[in-house]
Structure formats: C-alpha cells, structure tokens
Amino acid sequence: MKRYSFLLTLSIVTFFLGIGFDAHALAAEERVRFSAEAMLRGYTADFRQTTHPTWGDLRVGILPDLVNEQIDLYMKEFDGSKFPDPAGMVRVSDYFIYDILRQDQSSKEPLKLNKPFYLALRFNSGNLWRKRIFFWTGTAEGWRPLPSNIDYTNGYVRAITHLPFSRIAVFEDHNGTEGYASWYRSSRYPYGAASNDFPIGTKLRVRNVNNGKIVDVEVVSTGPFTPFSERRVIDLSLTAFQQIEESWKGTAKVQVWRIDAGVVLGAETKAVAEPNIASTAAIALSRNTGAILYSKNYDKQLPLASITKLMTALVFLDTHTSFDTLVTYASSDDAAGARLSITPGEQLRVKDLWFTMLVGSANNAANALARASGLSRELFVQKMNLKAQQLGLAKTKFVDVTGLDLGNTSTVYDIAQLAKHAFGKWDILQATTTWSYGFITSTGTPHTIKNTAKGMQGSSLVITGMKTGYLDEAGYCFVTKASSARGAPEVISVVLGAASDVQRWAETNALLQYGLNLI
C-alpha cells in the first residue's frame, strides 16, 4: 500500500484510476489494519487480485480523515445464493462483504464516518446493459442500489456509500442499457432506431445524459455494428437524434430503456402536459439552472410546517456542535405533534437527535437539538431569520425551530431556494434520505425512527433530499430534490397545502416527472 492525497471533489473515475497513488493487493488476507497516521492520508485496498493485473475484484477506497480513530477493514467473499436477485436483474459479479471496524472493540458506540467512501466491483459481463452495485438491507427491501458508474475499459462498477458494513454485488438490468447513440438518415422511419439489444418492434426511450433531453423511438432494424470499445448501443434516425442532440456532433451519450408499446413516438419534451395541481401552492424548479418549470401561487406566503426543520438543521451545522455530544433531555424540550418518546433525564447523542428530527420530524428533537447548540431558543430563531436573509429568502420568516407555530411562513419559491442550499449539505442529504434510523438512549431504551416521506419509498427516481411538513392549518407539505439518473439534471419540487397525504405524493411525482421531461 502506498500513500495518496487528493480532494474529495475529484470524480470517482479519477479516484479509481489511481492518479496520485498506488494500491496494494491483499492476496489471501481478509483484514487491513490502519494506523491513525494512515487515516490522515487515505488508502485504497484490493481484495482477491486474480483477474486484473493491478486491481482486485473488490476495491475499497478510504478517503483521508474518513474517521477520527484507528480502524480495521475486513473483506471477504460469501455465498449469497440464498438472497433473491432484485426483480428483473441479473447478477454479474461475485458476492462480497466489507466491514469497517474500530480497532478498539471496547466501545459500544456505532462507528462514525465523517464522509462517504468508494467501492469498486469487477463485473464479468461483456455487454452494455446498465449495471449498478447493490447492497443487501436484510429487510423486506432486499437488495438496494447504490449510485454507480461503469468503467467498461477495466470492467468495474464504482459507487459511493456511507455504510460502514455491507453485503454487495453487481447486477445488470436487461430492460435498459447505456452508451453512445449515433444517427442515420431514414425518411420511412423518422422515429426509428437500430438496436442489437432489443427485438424489432420494441418501443424505447432514449435520454441524452448530458442535457436531459428525451426522445421515444421504435426498433426497426439491427445495429450498430461497431467494436465494443466504442460503446455504441443504438443508432437513431436523424429526425430522432436531432430531438436530443445537434446532428453535427455525430454521437451522444445516452441511456436507453423499454417503455410501453402504446406510447406515441417522438420527442417527449415537446408534448408533455402540465400537471393538474390542486394544492394551494406548488413549484417545480431546475436545480441546475434555477429556471421555474411549473408554478402555482409561487409567491404566496403560507405556513411551511416541519419544512422549517431544514433551516433548523442549517443553523445547527453553523454552530459546529459535535455529533458525538451527549445531551440530557429536558422537560423544556417537550413539544406537541410528532415527537420522540423520551423522558427528562435520559441521555442520547446529538447524532440521534439530528436523525430523529430530519428522518422522523420529531418536534421535541428539534427543540433539544437547538438547546444542545448552546444557544438560547430566541437567539437560535434569530439566526434562522438571519440565515434566510443571507440566502435571499425575502418572504420567509421563522418564530420557532419546529414548524409548529403558524408564524413560520414562506413561499414555494423561497422553499425551493432553501432546499437547494440545504440538500447540498452532506449531513442533511444523508439524514433526509435515510428510511430508518435506530439508536439506544442511556436507559437502554431502543428507538427506531421511520422516514415520514413514506410515499416516496420505492420511487424509481434518484432522490437527493426531501422533507415533509404537516399542520391542520397548513395542510400536507413536501419538498424534494430528484433526478432521473445519477448525475443527471435535478428538479426541486415543493407542494404546500395539499388536502391529503395521497395528494401530496401524487402531485410531487407529477411535478417531478413534468420537470424532468422539460430539462
């Protein structure tokens, strides 16, 4: 193993191509011990180096300052045959386990990671079907995908994760592929395509990953007939290609997947109907350009309920309070509405309050978290309003940290701007997209917190932040940020004043789909 150094903002590809570092193969070893000094520099480790000249079948990239203590990294292959494959997916790698453990096993506290780290798994499939690394949840959810990209040259799928332990494998989806599209002239089939992966007559949706533009086509012939190294997955008629890219460019990087056979061919972005929104106010906004894609009462000030907690979280992060700080729950933290079942005198960590506030939207957790910052409640709220001013939220006002007070008001436009900033913070993104969080208080009482955004669970979109809100007077509220694929343009949607939980989810999905089809 040799040292490397780089910035977190470097791409995953840069990291695993080894710029600035080299990796040491573990051969038959299954455990690597890292010193405190080593953790300051960062390392990558390879397991079972058998088929690649320099890399193992599993790679784990430990970033500098991943943790603040000495750790061991444990890696091994396991028999995952008892775990059913994800629906419609085919496994194209071996099963592996990795586990990041503290060297001092006397501590019973969960290991805290300061940032995500990187994985790479070698796949054994010689095609261009879409591939992702999945991890086994051990629950009814089964296998869940990690945000992944593919290095076809070296035969690896790479992913980023914050999970210190996982069972992992690579699966490919035979309903979708990704690579490059080129074009050909055809007057007979203006929205025709040539594909070797899908039968003639199949309706496909083709998305340009660089600009988000979409066109629907039908397979009318086989092709393209090019070397695998070129990664050409489809040829489009000139008319179809021009809907997603300028013809002079010759090719476009695309994702391709099956769609309903009854769909009308052509550019989806040209004929998408506006969503029918019944909520009091709503907006769909491009996160990348700031353009308003849809709006209803975009500047009407309304109660934002527990969406307030995004600002509470931002101000708390500004105090730089350690997530490992122990907090003694006080009666002054009590609040109505959604709450953590806890009694005065019990102790828990700031991290537990943080996840309880953002995952379960517990109001007493928000009060306790504000108190843990060392600021008075009044001063904390003052800083929330100052932060709103700094972010340019001209029509936003806060009077409490929970959202229970109707004096907490904003507009869907301001909330979208708040979400753009808040979901850009790793700690907020991680908590708001966590579906379940468990911890134990000082009395030994276990707690499992479930995400209140249950209507978004199982969504096919890549969700990168979300927060619910509800008051009788405010109705059902929700803000989220999502994209159609990892790295694709994102849309922020906000709904205020929905009449029901079902309406909130339906209108959110309608806004997201509408916005994503436009960008």
Side-chain angles (χ1 to χ4, degrees):
M1 253 178 223
K2 297 182 181 178
R3 180 174 61 181
Y4 65 86
S5 61
F6 60 97
L7 297 177
L8 178 60
T9 52
L10 287 179
S11 70
I12 297 176
V13 172
T14 300
F15 176 89
F16 279 108
L17 286 180
I19 295 177
F21 80 102
D22 191 11
H24 172 71
L26 293 176
E29 297 178 58
E30 296 181 336
R31 187 182 296 266
V32 186
R33 172 150 291 192
F34 295 99
S35 66
E37 180 184 2
M39 293 311 302
L40 292 175
R41 296 189 296 239
Y43 282 83
T44 188
D46 288 88
F47 176 68
R48 208 181 66 179
Q49 185 178 343
T50 57
T51 57
H52 193 282
T54 56
W55 296 358
D57 292 344
L58 165 64
R59 312 196 86 202
V60 179
I62 303 297
L63 292 169
D65 297 318
L66 178 72
V67 294
N68 299 325
E69 53 188 302
Q70 292 179 318
I71 60 168
D72 290 344
L73 170 63
Y74 177 75
M75 297 180 288
K76 67 174 292 185
E77 186 181 354
F78 77 101
D79 179 8
S81 58
K82 65 179 180 180
F83 299 146
D85 291 348
M89 308 291 283
V90 176
R91 182 172 59 88
V92 291
S93 78
D94 292 324
Y95 297 100
F96 293 98
I97 290 176
Y98 71 85
D99 195 3
I100 300 175
L101 303 163
R102 57 165 48 92
Q103 292 179 12
D104 180 7
Q105 290 294 303
S106 63
S107 174
K108 302 303 179 184
E109 292 292 319
L111 182 66
K112 174 179 171 56
L113 304 184
N114 299 323
K115 60 185 71 171
F117 59 97
Y118 299 91
L119 301 170
L121 280 180
R122 188 185 68 83
F123 60 85
N124 51 26
S125 171
N127 58 54
L128 295 171
W129 295 115
R130 187 181 182 190
K131 300 169 179 62
R132 287 182 289 178
I133 295 177
F134 282 68
F135 69 96
W136 180 257
T137 65
T139 67
E141 296 178 59
W143 290 101
R144 298 278 292 177
L146 291 170
S148 305
N149 63 36
I150 306 172
D151 173 8
Y152 285 101
T153 301
N154 294 293
Y156 281 83
V157 179
R158 305 184 180 90
I160 184 171
T161 182
H162 62 274
L163 301 171
F165 166 84
S166 279
R167 299 177 177 92
I168 53 177
V170 176
F171 293 89
E172 65 181 18
D173 183 355
H174 286 199
N175 287 308
T177 186
E178 52 192 17
Y180 289 89
S182 56
W183 60 268
Y184 64 95
R185 297 185 184 276
S186 174
S187 57
R188 183 178 180 184
Y189 298 108
Y191 289 101
S195 172
N196 294 318
D197 297 315
F198 301 96
I200 291 175
T202 306
K203 299 290 182 67
L204 300 174
R205 179 156 293 174
V206 182
R207 178 182 174 278
N208 185 329
V209 300
N210 292 321
N211 61 25
K213 292 183 178 180
I214 290 172
V215 65
D216 294 336
V217 296
E218 180 178 348
V219 178
V220 296
S221 67
T222 57
F225 300 102
T226 58
F228 179 82
S229 59
E230 293 186 14
R231 291 175 53 201
R232 288 255 299 281
V233 294
I234 195 167
D235 278 347
L236 302 174
S237 68
L238 177 58
T239 301
F241 187 87
Q242 288 175 326
Q243 304 302 321
I244 62 170
E245 190 55 273
E246 297 173 85
S247 59
W248 65 266
K249 293 187 177 180
T251 62
K253 189 175 182 180
V254 297
Q255 294 173 328
V256 183
W257 64 96
R258 299 174 192 262
I259 52 175
D260 185 83
V263 73
V264 177
L265 300 183
E268 184 72 12
T269 56
K270 302 291 186 182
V272 60
E274 283 197 352
N276 182 19
I277 303 298
S279 296
T280 306
I283 197 170
L285 182 142
S286 169
R287 198 277 303 172
N288 303 78
T289 68
I292 296 176
L293 308 171
Y294 172 91
S295 69
K296 176 183 179 181
N297 293 328
Y298 80 97
D299 60 350
K300 183 179 179 66
Q301 286 182 283
L302 296 164
L304 70 163
S306 280
I307 293 176
T308 293
K309 294 181 175 76
L310 291 181
M311 182 60 82
T312 304
L314 281 174
V315 171
F316 182 79
L317 288 178
D318 286 345
T319 68
H320 303 291
T321 305
S322 171
F323 274 32
D324 290 325
T325 302
L326 278 178
V327 180
T328 302
Y329 187 77
S331 58
S332 60
D333 300 326
D334 283 340
R339 68 182 304 278
L340 173 67
S341 180
I342 191 171
T343 57
E346 281 189 83
Q347 288 187 318
L348 68 171
R349 297 175 303 164
V350 160
K351 180 181 180 181
D352 302 328
L353 291 170
W354 176 265
F355 276 84
T356 301
M357 178 183 77
L358 291 176
V359 176
S361 202
N363 295 314
N364 57 343
N367 284 334
L369 200 65
R371 182 172 58 83
S373 72
L375 302 175
S376 68
R377 191 85 55 84
E378 180 182 11
L379 181 56
F380 197 100
V381 173
Q382 287 178 12
K383 289 186 175 293
M384 291 171 68
N385 285 304
L386 177 60
K387 191 80 168 179
Q389 294 175 17
Q390 294 170 344
L391 296 177
L393 311 183
K395 293 192 173 183
T396 300
K397 178 183 178 182
F398 299 102
V399 296
D400 89 318
V401 301
T402 66
L404 286 171
D405 197 304
L406 291 176
N408 286 14
T409 57
S410 188
T411 66
V412 289
Y413 180 80
D414 273 10
I415 292 171
Q417 303 305 317
L418 170 62
K420 181 178 180 179
H421 186 77
F423 295 149
K425 303 290 186 181
W426 165 252
D427 291 308
I428 297 178
L429 183 156
Q430 180 189 31
T432 60
T433 56
T434 293
W435 291 110
S436 178
Y437 177 77
F439 65 95
I440 299 174
T441 65
S442 60
T443 61
T445 305
H447 294 271
T448 301
I449 311 300
K450 300 292 186 180
N451 199 303
T452 54
K454 55 185 180 295
M456 299 302 292
Q457 193 161 10
S459 172
S460 61
L461 300 176
V462 178
I463 298 173
T464 50
M466 55 186 176
K467 186 68 191 75
T468 59
Y470 173 78
L471 289 172
D472 288 343
E473 300 85 350
Y476 293 84
C477 308
F478 189 58
V479 56
T480 189
K481 179 162 67 76
S483 65
S484 57
R486 191 72 183 179
E490 294 178 306
V491 167
I492 298 171
S493 76
V494 186
V495 170
L496 294 182
S500 68
D501 209 22
V502 172
Q503 181 183 322
R504 162 168 59 182
W505 309 130
E507 293 189 355
T508 290
N509 280 299
L511 285 166
L512 290 173
Q513 293 295 343
Y514 176 75
L516 291 170
N517 276 325
L518 288 180
I519 59 176

